[in-house]
C-alpha cells in the first residue's frame, strides 16, 4: 500500500562548529518486503530542478539515492564502513561512511528515523553527523 506522506528532515553536522540543516517535502511511503521505502523530490536553494530522492530503510542499513544536479548513492551500514562518491557540478567528492546508530520507531501514522554516522576522506575525519527524519501519513 502506498501512502502519501510529509517528510521532515533535520541534519546536524559537527566539524569545527555545529551546523543544522532542515528540509521538508511531500512524497510517498511503502512498506515492501520488510523494508521502508520513501520517495520524494527536494528543491535546494538556487536550484530550479528538484532532485529525486529514494530511501530504503531496514534496522541495520539505510540506502539513500539522490539524482539531480548533484547525485549520490550512500549506504549507511551498521556492520561495515562504506564508500560513496558525490557527483557535483564542480567534480566528484569521495568519502567513507561509518554508521554508528540506526534507530527506527514505527508508528501507526508513519515512522521516525534517527541515524548517526561519521564522514571521512582518505582516513581524515570530515564530520560527525546526525539525521532525524519524521515521516507522517497525509490524510
Amino acid at each position: 500500500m502506498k501512502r502519501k506522506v510529509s517528510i521532515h528532515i533535520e541534519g546536524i553536522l559537527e566539524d569545527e562548529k555545529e551546523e543544522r540543516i532542515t528540509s521538508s517535502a511531500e512524497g510517498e511511503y511503502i512498506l515492501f518486503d520488510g523494508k521502508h521505502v520513501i520517495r520524494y523530490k527536494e528543491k535546494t536553494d538556487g536550484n530550479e530542478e528538484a532532485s529525486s530522492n529514494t530511501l530504503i530503510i531496514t534496522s541495520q542499513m539505510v540506502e539513500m539515492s539522490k539524482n539531480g544536479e548533484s547525485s549520490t548513492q550512500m549506504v549507511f551500514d551498521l556492520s561495515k564502513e562504506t564508500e560513496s562518491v558525490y557527483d557535483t557540478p564542480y567534480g566528484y567528492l569521495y568519502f567513507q561512511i561509518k554508521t554508528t546508530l540506526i534507530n527506527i520507531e514505527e508508528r501507526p501514522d508513519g515512522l521516525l528515523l534517527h541515524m548517526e554516522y561519521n564522514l571521512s576522506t582518505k582516513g581524515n575525519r570530515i564530520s560527525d553527523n546526525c539525521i532525524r527524519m519524521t515521516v507522517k501519513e497525509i490524510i
Side-chain angles (χ1 to χ4, degrees), residues 72-84:
T72 190
Q73 177 153 355
M74 299 171 73
V75 177
F76 303 90
D77 188 333
L78 284 172
S79 69
K80 64 183 176 184
E81 188 172 284
T82 61
E83 295 188 359
S84 184

Side-chain angles (χ1 to χ4, degrees), residues 9-14 17-23 130 132:
I9 302 167
E10 178 183 28
I12 302 169
L13 177 139
E14 292 181 15
K17 59 182 175 146
E18 183 176 289
E19 184 178 339
R20 291 180 183 263
I21 301 167
T22 60
S23 175
C130 172
R132 291 185 183 102

Side-chain angles (χ1 to χ4, degrees), residues 3-132:
R3 294 191 255 171
K4 187 172 181 181
V5 292
S6 68
I7 301 152
H8 179 77
I9 302 167
E10 178 183 28
I12 302 169
L13 177 139
E14 292 181 15
D15 49 14
E16 295 172 4
K17 59 182 175 146
E18 183 176 289
E19 184 178 339
R20 291 180 183 263
I21 301 167
T22 60
S23 175
S24 294
E26 289 187 2
E28 74 176 25
Y29 164 86
I30 187 169
L31 183 61
F32 178 76
D33 202 21
K35 298 176 183 179
H36 303 279
V37 180
I38 301 163
R39 291 188 177 99
Y40 64 98
K41 293 198 181 281
E42 175 183 39
K43 275 197 163 187
T44 55
D45 294 336
N47 188 358
E48 297 280 324
E49 183 182 328
S51 64
S52 296
N53 300 311
T54 302
L55 291 165
I56 301 171
I57 303 168
T58 68
S59 62
Q60 296 293 307
M61 186 182 326
V62 175
E63 296 177 62
M64 182 193 81
S65 297
K66 179 177 185 170
N67 294 302
E69 184 177 8
S70 297
S71 299
T72 190
Q73 177 153 355
M74 299 171 73
V75 177
F76 303 90
D77 188 333
L78 284 172
S79 69
K80 64 183 176 184
E81 188 172 284
T82 61
E83 295 188 359
S84 184
V85 178
Y86 208 101
D87 179 10
T88 75
Y90 310 103
Y92 298 102
L93 301 173
Y94 300 88
F95 52 90
Q96 294 78 43
I97 304 165
K98 177 156 180 46
T99 307
T100 56
L101 174 74
I102 296 174
N103 185 22
I104 304 165
E105 184 180 330
E106 296 179 43
R107 295 182 170 183
D109 66 339
L111 67 100
L112 300 175
L113 170 67
H114 178 187
M115 186 167 64
E116 296 178 5
Y117 60 96
N118 313 98
L119 291 180
S120 61
T121 186
K122 298 180 183 176
N124 297 313
R125 178 188 163 276
I126 298 172
S127 62
D128 298 323
N129 304 275
C130 172
I131 291 178
R132 291 185 183 102

